[in-house]
């Protein structure tokens, strides 16, 4: 019954006058089919408000979930609000009068230090941005570079990594790693709107995008204006970032350079250090002068692919067969997160710890399972098991509890007493052969259901 109610909730009447379900499929609004008014103006906003497009947008916003914006409305409350107020919202959109609210500022710590500034729009603004992004994506995506992989349909980080491997196999032994400093916060509004106007002629759509960009940021109850940047957190920002950086892609293609770009992470592959230095200087100059963005020189470098981290991966370089590996920084972050989950002073049962650990490991391995060099996994799995052995040993507390538990696990009484009464700490004993006999790997994987990568 719950699934049926949810399905019925999505069947909202978005009031698309004159439209029928027969000719309004989810793929109906592509650039070639955009209708024109009698005056010749492209009616792009009508395609944004089209019934099936809005339903797709609502499903996607509900799927993405996310925190409320400054108005406090949640994703669960959005369908009911739309059902009550859609005629007014649609009228404002078609009249070019819709005014978005400021975004809510949230700071997220970066793994390498510093903070990432997120701008969380209201759920209604997210819905409208998503509907606009779906229509604009159909117009722009077909012209994007073959080597751009970020925020595009049927493309992923893993495809970008495999393309980078192909460049290395072709003999590119040096990589120009470009780091754009605070890219999303420094996008030039005038240049972005100029690029958009080359293909979008509906002034209502252009004006609304401009309002989203300039809607301001709510910080501590005060609204601050935004003169530049596309706030991370909105569904429209990824597409706008690709439109901005498409100029860079086209320039690199014009120079016939081997490159891979995922959002603002761009790497260029060359055959010599000298060529890399030359490319670094010229491309940095293009980014600064033409795109009005800033290259972070401290984090940009020209080096060999084996020393770089791209999208969490690295490469094991050989003359004949480079292999994709998990970068050491990604392994370090894995260990840090596992340490947080298995802290021995948390006072949680081993079943709760393993349940939380499994959730993290499944997501982590779902991403990094595309690695080809897996020798590190044996050591990583052994370390996870040691963390859990130490956790259980700490929970046993009293010597008699430890002795009884080991005897019940099949350890001889002599070694159970000898090890159970020692004053050595849990971490040191986690690699003791007697403790390993009492708590073998299969105990964690089969009995407790632990999931291990690999």
């Amino acid at each position: 019954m719950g699934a049926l109610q949810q399905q019925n909730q999505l069947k909202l009447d978005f009031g698309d006058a004159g439209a029928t379900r027969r000719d309004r499929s989810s793929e109906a609004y592509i650039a070639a089919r955009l209708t024109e008014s009698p005056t010749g103006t492209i009616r792009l906003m009508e395609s944004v408000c089209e019934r099936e497009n809005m339903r797709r947008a609502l499903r996607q916003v509900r799927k993405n979930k996310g925190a409320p914006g400054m108005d406090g409305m949640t994703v669960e409350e959005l369908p009911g609000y739309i059902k009550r107020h859609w005629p007014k919202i649609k009228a404002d959109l078609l009249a070019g009068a819709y005014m978005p609210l400021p975004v809510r500022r949230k700071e997220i710590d970066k793994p390498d230090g510093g903070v990432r500034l997120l701008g969380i729009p209201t759920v209604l603004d997210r819905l409208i941005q998503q509907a606009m992004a779906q229509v604009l994506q159909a117009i722009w995506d077909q012209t994007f570079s073959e080597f751009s992989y970020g925020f595009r349909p049927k493309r992923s980080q893993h495809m970008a990594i495999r393309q980078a491997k192909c460049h290395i196999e072709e003999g590119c032994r040096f990589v120009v790693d470009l780091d754009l400093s605070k890219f999303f916060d420094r996008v030039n509004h005038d240049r972005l709107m100029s690029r958009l106007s080359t293909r979008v002629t509906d002034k209502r759509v252009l004006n609304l995008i401009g309002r989203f960009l300039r809607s301001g940021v709510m910080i501590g109850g005060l609204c601050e204006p935004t003169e530049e940047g596309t706030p991370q957190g909105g569904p429209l920002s990824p597409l706008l970032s690709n439109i901005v950086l498409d100029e860079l892609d086209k320039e690199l293609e014009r120079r016939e350079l081997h490159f891979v770009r995922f959002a603002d992470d761009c790497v260029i592959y060359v055959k010599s250090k000298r060529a890399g230095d030359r490319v670094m200087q010229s491309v940095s100059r293009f980014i600064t002068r033409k795109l009005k963005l800033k290259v972070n020189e401290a984090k940009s470098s020209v080096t060999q692919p084996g020393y770089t981290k791209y999208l969490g991966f690295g490469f094991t370089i050989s003359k004949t067969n480079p292999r994709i590996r998990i970068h050491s920084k990604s392994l370090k972050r894995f260990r840090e997160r596992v340490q947080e989950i298995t802290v021995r002073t948390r006072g949680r049962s081993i079943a709760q710890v393993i349940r939380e650990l499994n959730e993290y490991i499944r997501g982590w391995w779902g991403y990094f399972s595309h690695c080809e060099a897996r020798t590190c996994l044996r050591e990583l799995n052994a370390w996870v098991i040691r963390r859990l052995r130490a956790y259980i040993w700490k929970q046993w507390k009293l010597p008699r509890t430890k002795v009884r538990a080991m005897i019940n696990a099949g350890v001889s009484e002599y070694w159970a007493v000898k090890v159970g009464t020692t004053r050595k700490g849990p971490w040191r004993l986690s690699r003791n052969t007697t403790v390993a006999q009492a708590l073998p790997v299969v105990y964690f994987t089969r009995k407790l259901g632990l999931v291990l990568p690999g």
Side-chain angles (χ1 to χ4, degrees), residues 78-125:
L78 179 60
Y81 182 87
I82 289 293
K83 194 169 185 178
R84 294 189 301 271
H85 299 284
W86 175 244
K88 173 67 167 100
I89 296 169
K90 181 182 178 183
D92 284 348
L93 289 171
L94 295 179
Y98 182 85
M99 298 296 295
L101 292 175
V103 299
R104 182 167 65 87
R105 171 62 53 84
K106 184 175 179 60
E107 296 183 351
I108 303 294
D109 293 332
K110 291 183 178 180
D112 298 329
V115 294
R116 177 177 287 108
L117 302 178
L118 293 183
I120 304 175
T122 65
V123 289
L124 177 59
D125 287 344

Side-chain angles (χ1 to χ4, degrees), residues 185-358:
D185 300 327
R186 288 184 171 150
V187 169
N188 185 279
H189 288 177
D190 292 336
R191 284 198 56 80
L192 172 56
M193 297 307 297
S194 176
R195 287 280 293 169
L196 283 168
S197 63
T198 60
R199 292 190 192 153
V200 177
T201 59
D202 192 327
K203 298 298 183 184
R204 297 168 299 176
V205 173
L206 291 174
N207 290 337
L208 182 53
I209 292 175
R211 291 190 191 117
F212 276 122
L213 294 174
R214 298 186 300 271
S215 62
V217 178
M218 186 65 69
I219 304 176
L222 298 176
C223 182
E224 297 184 0
T226 49
E227 303 297 332
E228 60 180 4
T230 60
Q232 297 186 67
L236 195 56
S237 292
L239 175 61
L240 297 182
S241 69
N242 272 337
I243 292 173
V244 170
L245 292 175
D246 187 54
E247 283 191 82
L248 175 61
D249 298 341
K250 295 299 189 288
E251 177 66 15
L252 298 179
E253 288 178 344
R254 186 186 66 81
R255 300 184 187 188
E256 298 183 349
L257 292 172
H258 301 281
F259 72 96
V260 178
R261 184 177 67 79
F262 189 95
D264 58 330
D265 291 326
C266 183
V267 286
I268 306 169
Y269 290 89
V270 294
K271 294 189 176 182
S272 68
K273 179 70 162 59
R274 183 178 178 182
D277 292 334
R278 184 174 65 251
V279 168
M280 172 69 81
Q281 292 179 6
S282 61
V283 173
S284 297
R285 189 162 53 246
F286 174 85
I287 291 172
T288 303
R289 296 179 181 177
K290 185 76 172 176
L291 303 184
K292 309 299 182 184
L293 298 171
K294 184 178 179 181
V295 176
N296 189 336
E297 296 181 359
K299 293 185 178 180
S300 300
S301 62
V302 180
T303 185
Q304 293 179 318
Y307 297 103
T308 59
K309 177 174 77 75
Y310 189 59
L311 303 177
F313 291 91
F315 293 95
T316 300
I317 304 300
S318 66
K319 290 184 178 180
T320 57
N321 184 29
R323 292 189 297 166
I324 302 170
R325 63 178 174 86
I326 305 173
H327 195 273
S328 57
K329 290 185 178 179
S330 300
L331 293 173
K332 180 182 178 183
R333 284 200 294 272
F334 175 87
R335 288 174 178 264
E336 289 172 350
R337 179 63 183 133
V338 171
Q339 283 178 329
E340 291 175 4
I341 296 173
T342 58
V343 168
R344 292 186 286 277
T345 56
R346 293 184 71 184
R348 305 176 68 193
S349 69
I350 188 64
Q352 291 175 310
V353 170
I354 288 183
R355 188 159 52 247
E356 186 177 354
L357 200 58
N358 283 347

Side-chain angles (χ1 to χ4, degrees), residues 141-150 152 155 159-160 163 167 246 249-250 253 259-261:
D141 190 77
Q142 57 189 333
T143 64
F144 285 151
S145 170
E146 177 187 351
F147 303 105
S148 168
Y149 293 91
R152 297 182 61 190
R155 286 172 173 256
M159 296 173 67
Q163 182 61 60
H167 290 325
D246 187 54
D249 298 341
K250 295 299 189 288
E253 288 178 344
F259 72 96
V260 178
R261 184 177 67 79

